[in-house]
Amino acid sequence: MKHPFVCILFVLFCLLMAGCGTEEPAFTLSRDDFSNVSPEGENFTIEIRTIGSWTATSLNDDWCTVYPSSGTGDGTIRIEVEGNLEADRTGKVVILCENERSEINITQTALPAGEELTYRIPVIFHVLYKDPMDRYQYISASRIRQVLANVNDFYDGKPRWTGGDTPQDINLEFVLAETDEEGNELETPGVEYVQWSQMPIDCVSFMNSTEKRVLDLMWDMNKYINIVLYNFKDYNDGSVTMGISHLPLSTQGANYLEGLYSVEYTHLENSNLGYPQCVSINSLYFYEDTDPGYYNTADVNVTLAHELGHYLGLHHAFNEDERGGLVRDCEDTDYCEDTPPYNRYAYSLWLGDFYANPDGLTKEAFQREDCNTGETFLSYNLMDYEISFSDRFTPNQRARMRHVLEYSPLIPGAKRISSTTTRMAPQGVLDIPVIYRKCTRCLVKGQ
Ligand SMILES: [Zn+2]
């Protein structure tokens, strides 16, 4: 009875020796060389074939990210290369498997001088809901896609209304995130639904929150813009807060951008902030549009474009103080010379009378008075609100947003960082003031 068993062992031993003899590699990669990667940035996938366990590590993870970092057996490895505003560069991703090592080489040229990068910024909508049956809480992904497409039209410089100054193409597209923070493909791109114990939520408390569950909600701010949708708590004072957004941080020194709080670092991580840097949108108004020929102060497409403007460093076009309060004197407080300053306090008083006797919207309601020159102009700026055409940005606003994209920490996309500065983030929560803009207006619809 012993013979068959010994025989099988012998055969197995022979097979094992034969396997070693042919020196089969522990793994194979479908591709290991990526030269001439576009300066705009590119994503790649590589197939790994193996029966072993493996790890994948980028040696240049400030501009080249690899997902997942480990696996067992056959798998797909995703490499994301960011846009390159600096100098030509080479990078390596190292694959280790069963004591064998392979390198994936990446070569990327810099964007030629004088050319401008088209930013494609991933956004993730965190939809907070208490009641999944309530469509004003559980906002559909198709509606989110529709609104983001309209927002992109504004950023492409496609105006809704005739007249006014030439709309600016910011050369920036907001894209629904395709993958989560671990590189897994999202079933619903750019959207996650999160059950929340209370609804409505006080938006100011939310933006100032130090609660773990709020901070944990935020995905990597260096990779995504976090947009949170929830029902805002109403204060029953006749006006409604449509959205609220943090302002970005600026670096110090030569690339400081006035009007922003500056930090001595060029790179930070979520963990350095004690608050959830994000955009919040009042989901009670998420289905509001502007019908052709009509006007609607609650239009969510305008609201989201406006809040993203704040997130990228824009102030309101009207006069306000450093904390967003109205000022009565004539001051140009948005650091953009091509947006005439107007006294919003005076306009609000005028508007109060106007709302008391609404005879339909007259041209005067769209008019503002430049408090420096006394000249009147029609409001077309997305960073203005109340009764405004709100469909475009100016060249100075464009320059501010592009500056923030190129330099600000915790803003996704390729950065201009000199080779002498470090990309190491400091440890722990920094003492940074929470600065946001709360955007409150009266509800008016008209023709
Ligand atoms: Zn605002």
Side-chain angles (χ1 to χ4, degrees):
M1 287 299 283
K2 269 185 180 174
H3 283 292
F5 181 65
V6 169
C7 202
I8 288 167
L9 268 184
F10 182 70
V11 168
L12 278 175
F13 178 72
C14 290
L15 280 174
L16 197 64
M17 290 312 287
C20 292
T22 56
E23 288 186 15
E24 281 275 319
F27 67 98
T28 58
L29 299 172
S30 60
R31 197 175 159 187
D32 62 6
D33 188 61
F34 296 88
S35 46
N36 296 322
V37 175
S38 163
E40 300 267 341
E42 279 184 78
N43 299 332
F44 307 102
T45 54
I46 295 168
E47 303 302 323
I48 180 167
R49 299 247 163 263
T50 180
I51 53 168
S53 300
W54 48 271
T55 60
T57 312
S58 169
L59 301 187
N60 315 81
D61 61 0
D62 51 342
W63 57 272
C64 173
T65 320
V66 60
Y67 303 103
S69 54
S70 62
T72 302
D74 294 345
T76 303
I77 297 169
R78 181 181 165 90
I79 296 176
E80 296 181 3
V81 182
E82 207 168 63
N84 185 3
L85 294 171
E86 294 299 312
D88 297 355
R89 57 194 179 188
T90 56
K92 280 187 200 307
V93 170
V94 174
I95 311 293
L96 283 175
C97 176
E98 310 288 310
N99 295 324
E100 281 182 33
R101 175 189 160 106
S102 195
E103 288 178 353
I104 300 168
N105 293 302
I106 295 142
T107 313
Q108 186 187 31
T109 52
L111 195 74
E115 281 187 28
E116 190 183 75
L117 186 76
T118 301
Y119 277 98
R120 288 190 181 80
I121 302 293
V123 294
I124 176 71
F125 286 84
H126 310 278
V127 182
L128 307 189
Y129 68 94
K130 188 176 178 187
D131 176 5
M133 301 308 287
D134 184 339
R135 69 189 283 264
Y136 291 97
Q137 292 181 21
Y138 203 93
I139 306 288
S140 71
S142 61
R143 176 60 184 164
I144 288 171
R145 279 195 295 275
Q146 195 177 48
V147 169
L148 195 65
N150 293 333
V151 167
N152 278 322
D153 279 350
F154 289 134
Y155 280 77
D156 281 346
K158 295 179 187 149
R160 274 184 173 172
W161 305 89
T162 54
D165 295 333
T166 310
Q168 299 297 302
D169 178 354
I170 314 301
N171 206 359
L172 157 66
E173 185 189 1
F174 300 104
V175 295
L176 291 164
E178 287 171 19
T179 52
D180 69 12
E181 290 181 288
E182 278 78 47
N184 304 309
E185 250 173 62
L186 291 168
E187 209 170 290
T188 311
V191 185
E192 71 154 2
Y193 292 93
V194 183
Q195 190 140 30
W196 211 250
S197 55
Q198 90 262 26
M199 195 68 62
I201 297 170
D202 182 309
C203 65
V204 170
S205 307
F206 186 90
M207 299 303 265
N208 280 293
S209 181
T210 54
E211 261 187 81
K212 188 175 180 302
R213 66 170 179 165
V214 175
L215 300 180
D216 285 351
L217 202 57
M218 298 296 122
W219 290 17
D220 184 351
M221 294 162 197
N222 289 304
K223 294 235 151 66
Y224 310 88
I225 293 182
N226 291 278
I227 302 171
V228 195
L229 308 185
Y230 50 88
N231 294 176
F232 285 17
K233 194 175 159 197
D234 191 5
Y235 292 95
N236 298 314
D237 60 356
S239 61
V240 174
T241 302
M242 300 290 172
I244 185 166
S245 172
H246 290 106
L247 291 175
L249 300 168
S250 168
T251 55
Q252 291 173 352
N255 300 315
Y256 170 68
L257 185 63
E258 55 179 353
L260 299 181
Y261 184 81
S262 68
V263 288
E264 57 180 310
Y265 306 96
T266 57
H267 182 74
L268 294 174
E269 307 279 350
N270 286 26
S271 57
N272 297 128
L273 294 185
Y275 61 92
Q277 181 154 290
C278 65
V279 165
S280 287
I281 300 290
N282 189 343
S283 51
L284 286 168
Y285 300 91
F286 210 82
Y287 296 93
E288 293 288 337
D289 285 309
T290 301
D291 296 326
Y294 282 76
Y295 180 73
N296 180 3
T297 56
D299 186 321
V300 72
N301 310 285
V302 172
T303 302
L304 183 54
H306 173 106
E307 298 307 330
L308 286 166
H310 284 314
Y311 198 83
L312 296 175
L314 300 188
H315 292 267
H316 287 130
F318 46 80
N319 304 347
E320 61 185 8
D321 63 24
E322 284 173 8
R323 306 297 297 191
L326 292 183
V327 292
R328 297 185 190 207
D329 299 327
C330 184
E331 291 172 50
D332 195 353
T333 54
D334 70 348
Y335 307 91
C336 293
E337 284 178 6
D338 55 10
T339 57
Y342 80 88
N343 188 326
R344 190 173 143 78
Y345 180 75
Y347 175 74
S348 302
L349 292 181
W350 180 88
L351 208 56
D353 293 341
F354 177 82
Y355 286 149
N357 297 296
D359 297 328
L361 287 179
T362 60
K363 193 183 166 196
E364 281 69 44
F366 292 87
Q367 230 164 44
R368 310 286 192 268
E369 188 184 294
D370 182 331
C371 57
N372 271 329
T373 64
E375 286 172 25
T376 56
F377 63 94
L378 290 174
S379 169
Y380 280 95
N381 201 279
L382 273 160
M383 298 316 290
D384 194 6
Y385 55 68
E386 290 296 1
I387 299 182
S388 164
F389 295 114
S390 294
D391 66 351
R392 65 197 69 182
F393 295 111
T394 65
N396 285 180
Q397 289 176 324
R398 178 188 202 279
R400 275 186 78 83
M401 286 194 273
R402 297 226 32 122
H403 186 105
V404 165
L405 287 164
E406 290 178 5
Y407 296 104
S408 281
L410 295 167
I411 296 292
K415 298 281 164 283
R416 289 189 194 279
I417 295 168
S418 76
S419 52
T420 54
T421 56
T422 168
R423 287 265 301 203
M424 286 285 286
Q427 292 288 309
V429 176
L430 304 177
D431 186 20
I432 296 174
V434 187
I435 303 176
Y436 52 81
R437 288 293 177 266
K438 181 159 88 81
C439 310
T440 302
R441 66 204 73 171
C442 295
L443 295 180
V444 193
K445 286 188 193 188
Q447 200 168 3

